[in-house]
Amino acid sequence: MAPSSRAISLSLVCLAAVGSSMARAQSNDADVARVVAAMLGNTPMIADLQQLTDVFGGRATGSDANRRAVEWAIARFQAAGVDARTEPFTMPGLWLERSAMATVRGAALSFPARIAALPFSAGTTAAGTSAPLLDAGRGDSLGFAGLGDRAKGAWVLIEQDELKDIDGLFREYAESAQIERRAWASGALGVVYMGSRPNSQLYRHNMNLGFRNRDHFGVVMERDAAQRALRLLRRGTPLTLNAVLDLDRGPAYQSHNVIGEIRGSTRPDEIVVIGAHFDSWDLGSGALDNGANAMMVLDIARQIKRLGIRPSRTIRFGLWNGEEQGIIGSMGYTKTHAAELDKHVMTTSIDIGTGRIIGFFTGGRPEILPGVERALDPVAGLGPFTQVDIPIVGTDNFDFMLEGVAHLVANQEAANYGPNYHARSDEFGQADQHQLRLNAAILAAMTLRFAEMPVTWGRQSRADIERLVATTDLRAQMEQFGLWDDWTSGVRGRKTP
Ligand SMILES: [Zn+2]
């Protein structure tokens, strides 16, 4: 063969490759347009959300409602023709509230106060636990210094601002970690948080020690009753509190994630994950947190399948369990799929209710930003989108981050998320159905794009992850959520170089 004809035939091969990748890109654009149109149409997503919230209700991990809802979710994937399976993981312990009640008493007064036990609080006997109720101010060092030795064996009442938005929520988390540390150091029997939600809504707020807590009590008291008690204490009226916390606590047990999967047509070993946690707290029925987004993930799988779209990479649709009790289910996924993590191209989480998506938290990884922008191109009209390139802790991106896998969290307008967070009021009617569809279109488009586009980033090394921890506020965030020890002890995070 003459050199010239050899060169020609080589370049023809190259042209053929370019042509086929161009054809793929064009067909991906067409697929993205079709799935966006489908997500904006009349899909079963809203009916699914109503089933999940109104019928199954609050889905605390370990509850019967949670187990029934898992069975149903599997069936919903399968009814859509999407392969789905449950994947087991181990919860460190069982914690559920059966009931909680309290009475505030003074020499000449007595009134009932609605309370909720805080997750991982100790339980009481049926007669309840009675002790003085003391004013610890805002629970800062000044507040506890004022109590001195009197705090020993007492309930300490913590004044809180009314919660208005997500900033207030993060402040609440940050402060409560410190408040509990001071309370236990002072020998207090239990912490009584003045409810921060309007209209005396009750909610659950994880105690910082998590499952490690054995003996300390923690409750939130409806705002009106707590304010009444505080007024009495501040005029010099001594009070006692009797709290009856009937809890279902138990040892480690198995729970399950639900994983839907659409296998890649040409690169099936490369994986794109979109996930939302499926469990909720149980006072409300977990519509904003996080039923709406779990049903969105299910619907994205359903529409891609229905349209017959064959992505190049495998897409996994993760409905994580155990998130509220310490981000356990998605951690379980990273352990179960440890051997595949090098091949995880992108993992996306959504967990801030139904407010408008305004961009993504990109984890302090500037190298993925151009890819995120490309993935958002087809839905630019639903923007504008601004990426915030910082690592955030508090949802299911956490273990992907500590394993060095590229991860995104949808950044959303707060809308009505804060006041309803983990509260009795987090019900179906709170979900913004219209915005949920727009958000679904955005995430469906991104997911298909990530399943097709060339990627220029890889998995981070252990050294990369350590550098990220050392150069950002990750330590403070992990401490707020009681997760720092898991990183330092090696329970979580990438081990190999
Ligand atoms: Zn959530």
Side-chain angles (χ1 to χ4, degrees), residues 277 279 288-290 323-324 351-352 394-395 417 421-422:
H277 73 83
D279 64 312
L288 296 178
D289 188 12
N290 194 22
E323 193 271 352
E324 299 292 6
D351 190 16
I352 316 182
T395 188
Y417 185 74
Y421 178 74
H422 294 177

Side-chain angles (χ1 to χ4, degrees), residues 71-415:
E71 291 307 312
W72 171 81
I74 283 276
R76 289 303 277 165
F77 272 117
Q78 290 168 347
V82 178
D83 291 337
R85 56 185 181 266
T86 53
E87 293 190 353
F89 63 91
T90 302
M91 287 295 291
L94 180 70
W95 190 97
L96 297 168
E97 181 197 281
R98 291 194 198 95
S99 67
M101 48 193 272
T103 309
V104 177
R105 290 198 178 87
L109 68 95
S110 171
F111 61 92
R114 289 188 308 123
I115 57 169
L118 296 180
F120 320 118
S121 170
T124 71
T125 62
T129 296
S130 289
L133 179 66
L134 303 180
D135 171 11
R138 303 191 63 88
D140 51 16
S141 34
L142 206 67
F144 279 99
L147 292 179
D149 270 358
R150 291 186 302 137
K152 281 199 173 58
W155 293 102
V156 290
L157 178 57
I158 309 294
E159 186 177 14
Q160 294 205 104
D161 291 332
E162 190 172 296
L163 191 146
K164 301 258 196 281
D165 51 28
I166 291 186
D167 285 347
L169 186 61
F170 276 100
R171 208 161 42 240
E172 207 175 282
Y173 263 111
E175 286 174 2
S176 62
Q178 301 301 322
I179 290 166
E180 286 160 33
R181 194 178 49 74
R182 290 185 196 107
W184 313 144
S186 76
L189 170 77
V191 168
V192 181
Y193 287 103
M194 170 186 289
S196 63
R197 308 308 156 74
N199 308 316
S200 279
Q201 292 282 345
L202 287 177
Y203 56 96
R204 299 197 196 284
H205 190 306
N206 283 3
M207 288 170 77
N208 193 254
L209 282 174
F211 286 104
R212 296 184 296 275
N213 183 47
R214 281 284 162 260
D215 309 319
H216 303 301
F217 296 107
V219 300
V220 60
M221 181 183 286
E222 56 174 330
R223 187 167 184 81
D224 290 321
Q227 286 183 324
R228 179 175 171 186
L230 196 61
R231 283 193 300 271
L232 287 164
L233 291 171
R234 288 183 180 172
R235 78 197 272 272
T237 307
L239 298 176
T240 61
L241 176 73
N242 176 266
V244 185
L245 307 180
D246 181 8
L247 307 179
D248 190 1
R249 295 197 73 162
Y253 66 96
Q254 217 165 58
S255 179
H256 296 85
N257 295 320
V258 178
I259 309 290
E261 180 169 311
I262 294 177
R263 198 167 159 75
S265 55
T266 56
R267 283 170 287 176
D269 58 328
E270 297 180 21
I271 295 155
V272 172
V273 174
I274 172 142
H277 73 83
F278 186 70
D279 64 312
S280 72
W281 278 121
D282 53 336
L283 290 160
S285 57
L288 296 178
D289 188 12
N290 194 22
N293 293 315
M295 295 303 92
M296 172 206 290
V297 168
L298 168 61
D299 202 32
I300 292 172
R302 178 193 287 128
Q303 298 310 322
I304 291 174
K305 189 74 187 179
R306 187 178 66 81
L307 295 169
I309 295 170
R310 302 282 314 278
S312 288
R313 297 190 175 97
T314 293
I315 304 175
R316 289 197 184 137
F317 303 86
L319 304 185
W320 316 120
N321 233 324
E323 193 271 352
E324 299 292 6
Q325 300 180 27
I327 317 180
I328 313 290
S330 49
M331 173 176 72
Y333 175 92
T334 63
K335 308 275 184 211
T336 302
H337 296 278
E340 293 177 317
L341 291 182
D342 285 348
K343 295 280 196 173
H344 277 59
V345 167
M346 184 56 77
T347 61
T348 303
S349 302
I350 177 162
D351 190 16
I352 316 182
T354 54
R356 188 171 77 84
I357 293 178
I358 54 176
F360 289 82
F361 293 105
T362 48
R365 298 190 57 167
E367 74 276 19
I368 71 170
L369 287 172
V372 175
E373 298 293 343
R374 276 205 308 285
L376 283 166
D377 270 351
V379 283
L382 298 177
F385 304 108
T386 307
Q387 308 343 316
V388 183
D389 192 28
I390 57 170
I392 64 159
V393 177
T395 188
D396 296 295
N397 65 310
F398 182 62
D399 287 274
F400 294 110
M401 172 166 66
L402 292 188
E403 291 286 352
V405 175
H407 60 99
L408 303 173
V409 179
N411 184 14
Q412 300 174 252
E413 283 177 352

